[in-house]
Amino acid sequence: MPRIARKCLETSFFHVIVQGVNKDFIFYKNEYIEDYISLIKKYKEEFDIEILAYCIMSNHAHLLIFTEKIDILSSFMHLINSLYAQKYNRTENRVGHVFRNRYLSEPIYSEKYLVNCINYIHRNPVKAGIVKNCNEYKYSTYNDYANCTGFANSKILNKIIGKENYKQLLKIEEDNMIFWDIDITNEQIIEQVICRFEKQENKKLEEILQEKEIARRMINMLKYEYGITYKEMQKKFNISDRKMEKLKY
């Protein structure tokens, strides 16, 4: 398998999870799942992103997305989730939030992690006991990979994997790798974001907290993207009230 430049991996590949508010079954009808997939297909070209894999379950969805700009990812997810929520509320005759927070995302840092993430996404229905084999589940990209068609037939995947390797890829075991899922705790979210910033900035947490601009970006991401409270961050960072107040603004 060709090697992916580390810089590319740090900025371009993201495992994204969306979940129904209060773990509600927001995709409990096939037509709802098909609506969400239609939105993905419709707007991926407009935002110039590639969907490398997906699996839509009854109360959450996994996406593996390639984009060269993180702000594009945010705009894309905000649009498709907003449009889906509007239609869902109209159809269900309800009001209020449909999705928990905005979405969760974790960057992919290596070829091995990328391949295992694809398989992790495809194995969700088997793990949940919905089907015995991945190819029995209709609303994932597993069969695209098995048949070298559809979403699997992307430029970036062809460069990384090559069509001749798609079926071999599906047989690769997860190798005990841990990926974000719907049951992730706030503490785990904080740990993952800290890890992301440590890798991006090549600094330890203690150093990041000494650089106000970087620390503020990390705090704002935790607060406004993942709904983490300042108190939760403060406890994890092991800093005083005064220090936290200085970093927030």
Side-chain angles (χ1 to χ4, degrees):
M1 183 181 297
R3 182 169 181 80
I4 313 169
R6 181 171 178 79
K7 181 179 179 181
C8 180
L9 278 166
E10 288 179 347
T11 59
S12 301
F13 296 85
F14 297 91
H15 173 211
V16 174
I17 305 166
V18 298
Q19 182 183 20
V21 65
N22 299 321
K23 299 186 180 180
D24 288 350
F25 287 77
I26 60 172
F27 302 119
Y28 75 95
K29 292 182 180 179
N30 289 348
E31 63 187 86
Y32 291 173
I33 296 178
E34 289 164 3
D35 284 343
Y36 197 68
I37 293 173
S38 293
L39 288 170
I40 292 170
K41 290 180 177 179
K42 180 177 180 179
Y43 290 102
K44 70 183 182 68
E45 300 294 339
E46 180 177 322
F47 283 85
D48 193 27
I49 68 168
E50 291 198 48
I51 307 297
L52 307 186
Y54 70 72
C55 183
I56 317 297
M57 304 288 280
S58 56
N59 72 339
H60 72 285
H62 292 265
L63 307 172
L64 180 59
I65 295 176
F66 171 81
T67 177
E68 294 182 343
K69 296 180 180 179
I70 184 64
D71 58 329
I72 295 296
L73 173 64
S74 298
S75 299
F76 172 76
M77 293 304 305
H78 175 73
L79 179 63
I80 66 170
N81 284 356
S82 296
L83 292 174
Y84 180 81
Q86 290 169 18
K87 184 172 182 180
Y88 179 84
N89 278 343
R90 286 197 305 271
T91 306
E92 292 285 316
N93 193 26
R94 70 184 293 277
V95 295
H97 294 293
V98 173
F99 292 96
R100 172 192 176 190
N101 299 327
R102 281 172 48 187
Y103 61 88
L104 294 173
S105 69
E106 60 177 331
I108 304 299
Y109 290 107
S110 71
E111 304 97 312
K112 189 175 183 179
Y113 212 75
L114 180 71
V115 168
N116 278 278
C117 185
I118 291 169
N119 285 328
Y120 173 79
I121 289 172
H122 289 155
R123 289 168 185 158
N124 259 249
V126 176
K127 180 181 175 183
I130 298 172
V131 294
K132 290 185 177 180
N133 300 297
C134 295
N135 64 349
E136 298 170 8
Y137 193 70
K138 182 179 179 181
Y139 299 113
S140 85
T141 45
Y142 179 89
N143 286 316
D144 284 5
Y145 279 77
N147 299 317
C148 303
T149 58
F151 281 92
N153 195 14
S154 73
K155 294 178 182 177
I156 189 67
L157 277 179
N158 287 340
K159 288 180 181 178
I160 298 168
I161 300 168
K163 282 189 177 182
E164 68 278 5
N165 294 320
Y166 280 1
K167 290 184 179 180
Q168 291 179 337
L169 178 151
L170 297 175
K171 299 176 183 178
I172 295 175
E173 296 296 328
E174 292 180 21
D175 197 31
N176 296 319
M177 290 186 174
I178 298 174
F179 297 94
W180 284 26
D181 214 322
I182 56 173
D183 294 324
I184 189 170
T185 66
N186 283 0
E187 185 175 358
Q188 289 172 319
I189 290 173
I190 298 172
E191 289 174 355
Q192 290 278 6
V193 171
I194 289 172
C195 180
R196 182 187 308 185
F197 272 80
E198 287 181 332
K199 288 180 177 179
Q200 287 176 346
E201 304 296 333
N202 195 26
K203 300 177 186 293
K204 295 294 185 183
L205 175 61
E206 294 77 13
E207 298 174 287
I208 290 173
L209 294 175
Q210 296 303 314
E211 300 196 26
K212 192 170 182 179
E213 183 179 342
I214 301 173
R216 188 186 293 117
R217 282 195 285 111
M218 181 173 66
I219 288 169
N220 285 343
M221 177 181 288
L222 287 165
K223 173 69 175 178
Y224 298 109
E225 292 195 21
Y226 301 120
I228 306 299
T229 66
Y230 292 129
K231 282 294 183 183
E232 289 174 301
M233 287 183 247
Q234 186 179 326
K235 181 180 178 181
K236 191 65 180 178
F237 297 162
N238 192 27
I239 58 176
S240 65
D241 292 344
R242 185 178 179 183
K243 175 72 172 178
M244 191 60 168
E245 287 299 317
K246 287 183 177 180
L247 292 176
K248 281 162 48 178
Y249 307 107

Short mmCIF file of all heavy atoms in Angstrom, two decimals, residues 86-137:
data_model
loop_
_atom_site.label_atom_id
_atom_site.label_comp_id
_atom_site.label_asym_id
_atom_site.label_seq_id
_atom_site.Cartn_x
_atom_site.Cartn_y
_atom_site.Cartn_z
N GLN A 86 -34.29 19.79 9.67
CA GLN A 86 -35.49 20.53 9.28
C GLN A 86 -36.56 19.59 8.72
O GLN A 86 -37.73 19.65 9.10
CB GLN A 86 -35.13 21.59 8.24
CG GLN A 86 -34.31 22.74 8.79
CD GLN A 86 -33.76 23.62 7.69
OE1 GLN A 86 -34.21 23.60 6.55
NE2 GLN A 86 -32.74 24.42 8.03
N LYS A 87 -36.15 18.70 7.82
CA LYS A 87 -37.11 17.78 7.23
C LYS A 87 -37.61 16.76 8.25
O LYS A 87 -38.80 16.43 8.28
CB LYS A 87 -36.48 17.05 6.03
CG LYS A 87 -37.47 16.15 5.31
CD LYS A 87 -36.91 15.57 4.02
CE LYS A 87 -37.96 14.71 3.31
NZ LYS A 87 -37.44 14.14 2.06
N TYR A 88 -36.70 16.29 9.09
CA TYR A 88 -37.08 15.31 10.12
C TYR A 88 -38.12 15.91 11.06
O TYR A 88 -39.13 15.26 11.38
CB TYR A 88 -35.84 14.89 10.90
CG TYR A 88 -36.10 13.90 12.00
CD1 TYR A 88 -36.19 12.53 11.75
CD2 TYR A 88 -36.26 14.32 13.33
CE1 TYR A 88 -36.44 11.61 12.76
CE2 TYR A 88 -36.51 13.42 14.35
CZ TYR A 88 -36.59 12.07 14.06
OH TYR A 88 -36.84 11.17 15.07
N ASN A 89 -37.91 17.14 11.50
CA ASN A 89 -38.86 17.78 12.42
C ASN A 89 -40.22 18.01 11.76
O ASN A 89 -41.26 17.84 12.40
CB ASN A 89 -38.29 19.11 12.92
CG ASN A 89 -37.32 18.92 14.09
OD1 ASN A 89 -37.32 17.87 14.72
ND2 ASN A 89 -36.53 19.93 14.37
N ARG A 90 -40.20 18.38 10.49
CA ARG A 90 -41.47 18.57 9.78
C ARG A 90 -42.23 17.24 9.68
O ARG A 90 -43.43 17.16 9.94
CB ARG A 90 -41.23 19.13 8.37
CG ARG A 90 -40.85 20.59 8.33
CD ARG A 90 -41.04 21.15 6.92
NE ARG A 90 -40.31 20.40 5.91
CZ ARG A 90 -39.06 20.65 5.54
NH1 ARG A 90 -38.40 21.67 6.10
NH2 ARG A 90 -38.47 19.93 4.60
N THR A 91 -41.51 16.20 9.29
CA THR A 91 -42.14 14.89 9.09
C THR A 91 -42.65 14.30 10.41
O THR A 91 -43.73 13.71 10.46
CB THR A 91 -41.14 13.91 8.44
OG1 THR A 91 -40.62 14.48 7.24
CG2 THR A 91 -41.81 12.58 8.12
N GLU A 92 -41.86 14.47 11.46
CA GLU A 92 -42.21 13.90 12.76
C GLU A 92 -43.10 14.82 13.59
O GLU A 92 -43.48 14.47 14.72
CB GLU A 92 -40.92 13.59 13.55
CG GLU A 92 -40.07 12.48 12.97
CD GLU A 92 -40.67 11.10 13.23
OE1 GLU A 92 -41.12 10.84 14.37
OE2 GLU A 92 -40.71 10.29 12.28
N ASN A 93 -43.39 16.01 13.05
CA ASN A 93 -44.21 16.99 13.76
C ASN A 93 -43.63 17.31 15.13
O ASN A 93 -44.32 17.24 16.16
CB ASN A 93 -45.65 16.48 13.89
CG ASN A 93 -46.62 17.58 14.32
OD1 ASN A 93 -46.37 18.77 14.07
ND2 ASN A 93 -47.69 17.20 14.99
N ARG A 94 -42.37 17.65 15.15
CA ARG A 94 -41.67 17.97 16.40
C ARG A 94 -40.84 19.22 16.21
O ARG A 94 -40.67 19.71 15.08
CB ARG A 94 -40.78 16.79 16.84
CG ARG A 94 -39.56 16.59 15.94
CD ARG A 94 -38.74 15.38 16.32
NE ARG A 94 -38.07 15.48 17.59
CZ ARG A 94 -36.90 16.10 17.80
NH1 ARG A 94 -36.30 16.74 16.79
NH2 ARG A 94 -36.34 16.12 18.97
N VAL A 95 -40.30 19.75 17.32
CA VAL A 95 -39.40 20.90 17.28
C VAL A 95 -38.18 20.58 18.14
O VAL A 95 -38.20 19.64 18.95
CB VAL A 95 -40.08 22.19 17.80
CG1 VAL A 95 -41.20 22.61 16.89
CG2 VAL A 95 -40.57 21.99 19.23
N GLY A 96 -37.13 21.37 17.96
CA GLY A 96 -35.95 21.20 18.80
C GLY A 96 -34.80 20.52 18.09
O GLY A 96 -34.87 20.20 16.90
N HIS A 97 -33.73 20.29 18.85
CA HIS A 97 -32.53 19.69 18.29
C HIS A 97 -32.79 18.25 17.87
O HIS A 97 -33.54 17.51 18.52
CB HIS A 97 -31.39 19.71 19.31
CG HIS A 97 -30.93 21.10 19.65
ND1 HIS A 97 -30.29 21.90 18.73
CD2 HIS A 97 -31.01 21.82 20.80
CE1 HIS A 97 -29.99 23.06 19.30
NE2 HIS A 97 -30.42 23.04 20.55
N VAL A 98 -32.17 17.86 16.78
CA VAL A 98 -32.26 16.49 16.29
C VAL A 98 -30.97 15.73 16.59
O VAL A 98 -30.99 14.56 16.95
CB VAL A 98 -32.55 16.46 14.78
CG1 VAL A 98 -32.46 15.04 14.22
CG2 VAL A 98 -33.93 17.06 14.49
N PHE A 99 -29.82 16.44 16.44
CA PHE A 99 -28.52 15.81 16.65
C PHE A 99 -27.93 16.21 18.00
O PHE A 99 -28.10 17.34 18.46
CB PHE A 99 -27.55 16.21 15.55
CG PHE A 99 -27.90 15.66 14.20
CD1 PHE A 99 -28.62 16.42 13.29
CD2 PHE A 99 -27.52 14.38 13.84
CE1 PHE A 99 -28.95 15.91 12.04
CE2 PHE A 99 -27.84 13.86 12.60
CZ PHE A 99 -28.56 14.62 11.69
N ARG A 100 -27.22 15.28 18.61
CA ARG A 100 -26.46 15.56 19.82
C ARG A 100 -25.23 16.40 19.45
O ARG A 100 -24.44 15.99 18.61
CB ARG A 100 -26.00 14.24 20.45
CG ARG A 100 -25.03 14.39 21.60
CD ARG A 100 -24.42 13.04 21.94
NE ARG A 100 -23.41 13.16 22.97
CZ ARG A 100 -22.58 12.17 23.33
NH1 ARG A 100 -22.67 11.00 22.72
NH2 ARG A 100 -21.68 12.36 24.27
N ASN A 101 -25.06 17.56 20.09
CA ASN A 101 -23.97 18.47 19.76
C ASN A 101 -23.98 18.74 18.26
O ASN A 101 -25.02 18.72 17.60
CB ASN A 101 -22.62 17.91 20.21
CG ASN A 101 -22.58 17.69 21.72
OD1 ASN A 101 -23.18 18.44 22.47
ND2 ASN A 101 -21.86 16.67 22.14
N ARG A 102 -22.85 19.02 17.68
CA ARG A 102 -22.75 19.18 16.22
C ARG A 102 -22.38 17.86 15.58
O ARG A 102 -23.13 17.24 14.88
CB ARG A 102 -21.69 20.24 15.90
CG ARG A 102 -22.18 21.65 16.06
CD ARG A 102 -21.05 22.64 15.90
NE ARG A 102 -20.22 22.40 14.74
CZ ARG A 102 -19.10 23.07 14.50
NH1 ARG A 102 -18.68 23.98 15.34
NH2 ARG A 102 -18.39 22.82 13.43
N TYR A 103 -21.21 17.40 15.86
CA TYR A 103 -20.73 16.10 15.41
C TYR A 103 -19.41 15.86 16.10
O TYR A 103 -18.80 16.78 16.65
CB TYR A 103 -20.55 16.05 13.88
CG TYR A 103 -19.55 17.05 13.33
CD1 TYR A 103 -18.19 16.73 13.24
CD2 TYR A 103 -19.95 18.31 12.92
CE1 TYR A 103 -17.27 17.65 12.75
CE2 TYR A 103 -19.05 19.24 12.43
CZ TYR A 103 -17.70 18.89 12.35
OH TYR A 103 -16.79 19.81 11.88
N LEU A 104 -18.96 14.64 16.13
CA LEU A 104 -17.64 14.29 16.65
C LEU A 104 -16.74 13.99 15.47
O LEU A 104 -17.17 13.39 14.49
CB LEU A 104 -17.72 13.06 17.56
CG LEU A 104 -18.49 13.21 18.87
CD1 LEU A 104 -18.59 11.86 19.57
CD2 LEU A 104 -17.81 14.21 19.80
N SER A 105 -15.48 14.38 15.56
CA SER A 105 -14.55 14.04 14.48
C SER A 105 -13.19 13.73 15.06
O SER A 105 -12.75 14.37 16.02
CB SER A 105 -14.44 15.19 13.47
OG SER A 105 -13.78 16.30 14.02
N GLU A 106 -12.54 12.73 14.49
CA GLU A 106 -11.17 12.42 14.88
C GLU A 106 -10.32 12.31 13.61
O GLU A 106 -10.72 11.70 12.63
CB GLU A 106 -11.08 11.11 15.67
CG GLU A 106 -11.58 9.88 14.95
CD GLU A 106 -11.40 8.61 15.76
OE1 GLU A 106 -10.45 8.55 16.56
OE2 GLU A 106 -12.20 7.68 15.57
N PRO A 107 -9.15 12.93 13.64
CA PRO A 107 -8.27 12.87 12.46
C PRO A 107 -7.61 11.50 12.36
O PRO A 107 -7.40 10.82 13.37
CB PRO A 107 -7.24 13.97 12.73
CG PRO A 107 -7.19 14.07 14.22
CD PRO A 107 -8.57 13.76 14.71
N ILE A 108 -7.29 11.09 11.15
CA ILE A 108 -6.61 9.82 10.90
C ILE A 108 -5.15 10.11 10.60
O ILE A 108 -4.83 10.88 9.69
CB ILE A 108 -7.26 9.08 9.71
CG1 ILE A 108 -8.76 8.89 9.96
CG2 ILE A 108 -6.56 7.76 9.45
CD1 ILE A 108 -9.09 8.07 11.18
N TYR A 109 -4.23 9.49 11.35
CA TYR A 109 -2.82 9.86 11.29
C TYR A 109 -1.92 8.86 10.57
O TYR A 109 -0.74 9.12 10.40
CB TYR A 109 -2.28 10.07 12.71
CG TYR A 109 -2.82 11.31 13.38
CD1 TYR A 109 -3.74 11.22 14.41
CD2 TYR A 109 -2.39 12.57 12.99
CE1 TYR A 109 -4.24 12.35 15.02
CE2 TYR A 109 -2.87 13.71 13.60
CZ TYR A 109 -3.80 13.59 14.62
OH TYR A 109 -4.29 14.72 15.23
N SER A 110 -2.44 7.70 10.18
CA SER A 110 -1.57 6.73 9.53
C SER A 110 -2.36 5.88 8.55
O SER A 110 -3.59 5.79 8.63
CB SER A 110 -0.91 5.81 10.57
OG SER A 110 -1.86 4.91 11.12
N GLU A 111 -1.64 5.25 7.62
CA GLU A 111 -2.28 4.36 6.66
C GLU A 111 -3.00 3.21 7.36
O GLU A 111 -4.11 2.84 6.99
CB GLU A 111 -1.24 3.77 5.69
CG GLU A 111 -0.41 4.80 4.96
CD GLU A 111 0.93 5.05 5.64
OE1 GLU A 111 0.96 5.25 6.86
OE2 GLU A 111 1.94 5.03 4.94
N LYS A 112 -2.35 2.65 8.36
CA LYS A 112 -2.92 1.53 9.09
C LYS A 112 -4.21 1.94 9.79
O LYS A 112 -5.21 1.22 9.77
CB LYS A 112 -1.90 1.02 10.13
CG LYS A 112 -2.30 -0.28 10.82
CD LYS A 112 -1.16 -0.74 11.72
CE LYS A 112 -1.50 -2.07 12.37
NZ LYS A 112 -0.41 -2.54 13.25
N TYR A 113 -4.20 3.12 10.37
CA TYR A 113 -5.39 3.63 11.07
C TYR A 113 -6.52 3.89 10.08
O TYR A 113 -7.69 3.64 10.36
CB TYR A 113 -5.02 4.91 11.82
CG TYR A 113 -5.80 5.12 13.09
CD1 TYR A 113 -5.51 4.36 14.23
CD2 TYR A 113 -6.82 6.06 13.18
CE1 TYR A 113 -6.22 4.54 15.40
CE2 TYR A 113 -7.54 6.24 14.34
CZ TYR A 113 -7.23 5.48 15.45
OH TYR A 113 -7.95 5.65 16.62
N LEU A 114 -6.16 4.38 8.90
CA LEU A 114 -7.15 4.67 7.86
C LEU A 114 -7.86 3.38 7.43
O LEU A 114 -9.10 3.33 7.37
CB LEU A 114 -6.48 5.32 6.66
CG LEU A 114 -7.40 5.68 5.49
CD1 LEU A 114 -8.31 6.84 5.85
CD2 LEU A 114 -6.58 6.03 4.25
N VAL A 115 -7.10 2.36 7.12
CA VAL A 115 -7.65 1.08 6.67
C VAL A 115 -8.53 0.46 7.77
O VAL A 115 -9.64 -0.02 7.51
CB VAL A 115 -6.53 0.11 6.27
CG1 VAL A 115 -7.07 -1.30 6.09
CG2 VAL A 115 -5.86 0.59 4.99
N ASN A 116 -8.04 0.48 9.00
CA ASN A 116 -8.82 -0.10 10.09
C ASN A 116 -10.07 0.70 10.38
O ASN A 116 -11.09 0.14 10.80
CB ASN A 116 -7.95 -0.21 11.35
CG ASN A 116 -7.09 -1.45 11.34
OD1 ASN A 116 -7.53 -2.54 11.69
ND2 ASN A 116 -5.84 -1.30 10.93
N CYS A 117 -10.03 2.01 10.16
CA CYS A 117 -11.21 2.85 10.36
C CYS A 117 -12.30 2.49 9.34
O CYS A 117 -13.48 2.42 9.69
CB CYS A 117 -10.84 4.32 10.24
SG CYS A 117 -12.20 5.44 10.62
N ILE A 118 -11.90 2.27 8.10
CA ILE A 118 -12.86 1.86 7.07
C ILE A 118 -13.57 0.56 7.49
O ILE A 118 -14.80 0.45 7.43
CB ILE A 118 -12.16 1.66 5.70
CG1 ILE A 118 -11.69 3.02 5.15
CG2 ILE A 118 -13.09 0.97 4.70
CD1 ILE A 118 -10.78 2.92 3.95
N ASN A 119 -12.80 -0.39 7.95
CA ASN A 119 -13.38 -1.67 8.36
C ASN A 119 -14.20 -1.54 9.63
O ASN A 119 -15.24 -2.20 9.80
CB ASN A 119 -12.28 -2.72 8.53
CG ASN A 119 -11.78 -3.22 7.19
OD1 ASN A 119 -12.53 -3.28 6.23
ND2 ASN A 119 -10.50 -3.56 7.11
N TYR A 120 -13.75 -0.69 10.54
CA TYR A 120 -14.50 -0.44 11.78
C TYR A 120 -15.89 0.12 11.46
O TYR A 120 -16.90 -0.32 12.02
CB TYR A 120 -13.74 0.53 12.66
CG TYR A 120 -14.51 0.98 13.87
CD1 TYR A 120 -14.61 0.18 15.01
CD2 TYR A 120 -15.16 2.22 13.89
CE1 TYR A 120 -15.32 0.58 16.12
CE2 TYR A 120 -15.88 2.63 15.00
CZ TYR A 120 -15.96 1.82 16.10
OH TYR A 120 -16.68 2.22 17.20
N ILE A 121 -15.94 1.07 10.53
CA ILE A 121 -17.22 1.65 10.12
C ILE A 121 -18.13 0.59 9.52
O ILE A 121 -19.31 0.49 9.86
CB ILE A 121 -16.97 2.81 9.12
CG1 ILE A 121 -16.34 4.01 9.85
CG2 ILE A 121 -18.26 3.23 8.43
CD1 ILE A 121 -15.88 5.12 8.92
N HIS A 122 -17.59 -0.24 8.64
CA HIS A 122 -18.39 -1.26 7.97
C HIS A 122 -18.88 -2.35 8.91
O HIS A 122 -19.91 -2.98 8.66
CB HIS A 122 -17.59 -1.89 6.83
CG HIS A 122 -17.37 -0.96 5.67
ND1 HIS A 122 -16.31 -1.09 4.81
CD2 HIS A 122 -18.08 0.11 5.24
CE1 HIS A 122 -16.38 -0.13 3.89
NE2 HIS A 122 -17.44 0.59 4.13
N ARG A 123 -18.17 -2.58 9.99
CA ARG A 123 -18.53 -3.67 10.90
C ARG A 123 -19.53 -3.26 11.97
O ARG A 123 -19.95 -4.09 12.80
CB ARG A 123 -17.26 -4.24 11.54
CG ARG A 123 -16.42 -5.04 10.54
CD ARG A 123 -15.06 -5.37 11.07
NE ARG A 123 -14.25 -6.01 10.03
CZ ARG A 123 -12.93 -6.04 10.02
NH1 ARG A 123 -12.24 -5.47 11.00
NH2 ARG A 123 -12.28 -6.65 9.03
N ASN A 124 -19.95 -2.00 11.97
CA ASN A 124 -20.91 -1.54 12.97
C ASN A 124 -22.20 -2.36 13.02
O ASN A 124 -22.65 -2.73 14.11
CB ASN A 124 -21.23 -0.06 12.74
CG ASN A 124 -20.49 0.85 13.68
OD1 ASN A 124 -21.08 1.47 14.55
ND2 ASN A 124 -19.17 0.93 13.52
N PRO A 125 -22.84 -2.67 11.89
CA PRO A 125 -24.09 -3.44 11.95
C PRO A 125 -23.89 -4.86 12.49
O PRO A 125 -24.78 -5.40 13.15
CB PRO A 125 -24.55 -3.48 10.49
CG PRO A 125 -23.85 -2.33 9.83
CD PRO A 125 -22.53 -2.23 10.51
N VAL A 126 -22.74 -5.47 12.21
CA VAL A 126 -22.43 -6.79 12.74
C VAL A 126 -22.22 -6.72 14.25
O VAL A 126 -22.74 -7.53 15.02
CB VAL A 126 -21.19 -7.39 12.05
CG1 VAL A 126 -20.82 -8.72 12.68
CG2 VAL A 126 -21.45 -7.56 10.55
N LYS A 127 -21.46 -5.70 14.66
CA LYS A 127 -21.20 -5.49 16.09
C LYS A 127 -22.50 -5.27 16.85
O LYS A 127 -22.66 -5.73 17.98
CB LYS A 127 -20.27 -4.27 16.25
CG LYS A 127 -19.91 -3.94 17.68
CD LYS A 127 -19.02 -2.71 17.71
CE LYS A 127 -18.74 -2.28 19.15
NZ LYS A 127 -17.93 -1.02 19.19
N ALA A 128 -23.47 -4.59 16.22
CA ALA A 128 -24.75 -4.30 16.88
C ALA A 128 -25.72 -5.47 16.81
O ALA A 128 -26.80 -5.43 17.40
CB ALA A 128 -25.39 -3.07 16.24
N GLY A 129 -25.35 -6.54 16.08
CA GLY A 129 -26.20 -7.71 15.98
C GLY A 129 -27.35 -7.57 15.00
O GLY A 129 -28.30 -8.35 15.01
N ILE A 130 -27.27 -6.56 14.12
CA ILE A 130 -28.34 -6.33 13.15
C ILE A 130 -28.25 -7.33 12.00
O ILE A 130 -29.27 -7.82 11.50
CB ILE A 130 -28.26 -4.88 12.60
CG1 ILE A 130 -28.47 -3.90 13.75
CG2 ILE A 130 -29.28 -4.65 11.50
CD1 ILE A 130 -28.20 -2.46 13.35
N VAL A 131 -27.03 -7.64 11.59
CA VAL A 131 -26.78 -8.62 10.53
C VAL A 131 -25.63 -9.52 10.96
O VAL A 131 -24.87 -9.19 11.88
CB VAL A 131 -26.43 -7.94 9.18
CG1 VAL A 131 -27.62 -7.15 8.64
CG2 VAL A 131 -25.21 -7.03 9.33
N LYS A 132 -25.48 -10.65 10.28
CA LYS A 132 -24.37 -11.56 10.57
C LYS A 132 -23.13 -11.20 9.77
O LYS A 132 -22.00 -11.41 10.23
CB LYS A 132 -24.78 -13.01 10.29
CG LYS A 132 -25.80 -13.56 11.26
CD LYS A 132 -26.06 -15.04 10.99
CE LYS A 132 -27.04 -15.61 12.00
NZ LYS A 132 -27.31 -17.06 11.76
N ASN A 133 -23.34 -10.66 8.57
CA ASN A 133 -22.23 -10.31 7.69
C ASN A 133 -22.41 -8.89 7.17
O ASN A 133 -23.53 -8.44 6.92
CB ASN A 133 -22.17 -11.28 6.50
CG ASN A 133 -21.99 -12.72 6.95
OD1 ASN A 133 -20.98 -13.06 7.55
ND2 ASN A 133 -22.98 -13.55 6.66
N CYS A 134 -21.29 -8.20 6.98
CA CYS A 134 -21.33 -6.80 6.55
C CYS A 134 -22.07 -6.60 5.24
O CYS A 134 -22.74 -5.58 5.05
CB CYS A 134 -19.90 -6.26 6.41
SG CYS A 134 -18.98 -6.18 7.96
N ASN A 135 -21.96 -7.57 4.34
CA ASN A 135 -22.58 -7.39 3.02
C ASN A 135 -24.10 -7.47 3.05
O ASN A 135 -24.77 -7.16 2.07
CB ASN A 135 -22.03 -8.41 2.02
CG ASN A 135 -22.36 -9.85 2.39
OD1 ASN A 135 -22.84 -10.12 3.49
ND2 ASN A 135 -22.12 -10.77 1.48
N GLU A 136 -24.67 -7.85 4.20
CA GLU A 136 -26.12 -7.92 4.33
C GLU A 136 -26.74 -6.57 4.69
O GLU A 136 -27.96 -6.41 4.60
CB GLU A 136 -26.50 -8.94 5.41
CG GLU A 136 -26.05 -10.36 5.09
CD GLU A 136 -26.22 -11.29 6.29
OE1 GLU A 136 -26.83 -10.86 7.29
OE2 GLU A 136 -25.74 -12.42 6.22
N TYR A 137 -25.89 -5.62 5.10
CA TYR A 137 -26.42 -4.33 5.52
C TYR A 137 -26.43 -3.36 4.35
O TYR A 137 -25.41 -3.10 3.72
CB TYR A 137 -25.60 -3.76 6.68
CG TYR A 137 -26.27 -2.59 7.37
CD1 TYR A 137 -27.40 -2.79 8.15
CD2 TYR A 137 -25.79 -1.30 7.21
CE1 TYR A 137 -28.04 -1.73 8.77
CE2 TYR A 137 -26.42 -0.23 7.84
CZ TYR A 137 -27.55 -0.45 8.61
OH TYR A 137 -28.18 0.60 9.23
#
